[in-house]
Amino acid sequence: MLRGILSSVHPPLLQTLKSETRPHHERAERVVRLMEPGLTPAGYRRHLEALYGLYLPLEGALAARLSGLFPELRLPERWKLPLLETDLRALGHDEASLARLPRLPSPPPLPGVPEALGALYVLEGATLGGQLLLRHLTRHFEGVPVGGFAFFRAYGETVGPMWKAFGEALPRACPDPALAPRVVRGAQDTFEAFEAWLREVHAHAPSHL
């Protein structure tokens, strides 16, 4: 009974995150150019390089804040950096060239667990939404040797269950409704960092894809 009363006063955290970050999410989506019809393998590679520069510091910060605290989050299964490395090696990179890739100079501040959970929400949402991009890229690059799209395939057939598991683990990791604004702030900061980083990468990219 009490749980029902509380849930009516405080909307579920996942619902709050979705509504409070919608404009940030939409702005970030607009700087992703992978759906453009003129996308070339070089343009695809540049996008993955940009993601590598974002995920490297961000996943490091998440590991520092969250590893070992909440087994239900299944963090070791969620890291995307190894998948990005697989894709970039298929596109010609090696260990030395990966080490030279530009990295996000100012990662979003994640001063505590709530903010880190917000950042993780962004990355997991991107994995879920990436299934649309995967279908497009698979068709667009049919017959072109660009690798196996490991990053966008992510969890394979378990993308849906992994998202559901995250949604169920989130309120257990942050059960206090008073902390919800901090979770939201972490998600908003991560969306803003993603958008700013991709805009910077595009600004310095060749005019053609």
Side-chain angles (χ1 to χ4, degrees):
M1 179 67 176
L2 179 59
R3 181 179 299 178
I5 294 173
L6 289 175
S7 64
S8 66
V9 176
H10 301 286
L13 185 52
L14 209 57
Q15 178 184 331
T16 299
L17 278 163
K18 184 176 181 179
S19 62
E20 294 295 323
T21 64
R22 181 172 288 112
H24 305 76
H25 187 179
E26 291 173 351
R27 287 195 299 270
E29 280 189 332
R30 285 197 288 270
V31 297
V32 176
R33 297 182 176 179
L34 294 180
M35 297 292 283
E36 295 186 2
L39 180 68
T40 64
Y44 170 59
R45 172 173 151 150
R46 278 194 298 275
H47 185 82
L48 293 182
E49 290 170 345
L51 292 180
Y52 186 86
L54 175 72
Y55 275 71
L56 183 63
L58 189 52
E59 286 194 345
L62 288 176
R65 285 293 180 196
L66 299 176
S67 287
L69 294 181
F70 309 106
E72 62 270 27
L73 285 175
R74 299 164 63 180
L75 280 180
E77 301 174 52
R78 298 187 185 275
W79 301 135
K80 306 303 188 307
L81 200 62
L83 305 180
L84 284 167
E85 290 180 355
T86 296
D87 283 334
L88 287 168
R89 287 178 186 274
L91 291 164
H93 275 284
D94 58 22
E95 187 172 351
S97 62
L98 287 172
R100 291 193 298 269
L101 286 177
R103 301 175 189 180
L104 181 69
S106 301
L110 303 176
V113 166
E115 291 83 4
L117 291 171
L120 186 61
Y121 162 80
V122 174
L123 300 191
E124 288 306 299
T127 302
L128 187 67
Q131 302 314 292
L132 175 63
L133 290 172
L134 173 63
R135 289 191 290 272
H136 170 75
L137 291 169
T138 301
R139 292 191 301 268
H140 182 80
F141 286 124
E142 185 175 4
V144 181
V146 294
F149 309 110
F151 173 77
F152 289 105
R153 291 190 190 281
Y155 313 133
E157 297 299 318
T158 64
V159 169
M162 284 292 281
W163 172 253
K164 182 180 179 184
F166 172 74
E168 292 171 347
L170 185 60
R172 294 200 292 272
C174 188
D176 185 354
L179 295 177
R182 291 179 57 187
V183 182
V184 168
R185 184 69 260 171
Q188 292 172 338
D189 287 344
T190 303
F191 273 125
E192 289 172 2
F194 179 90
E195 178 193 2
W197 178 238
L198 279 190
R199 286 192 187 281
E200 181 178 342
V201 169
H202 292 329
H204 293 91
S207 58
H208 62 282
L209 291 176

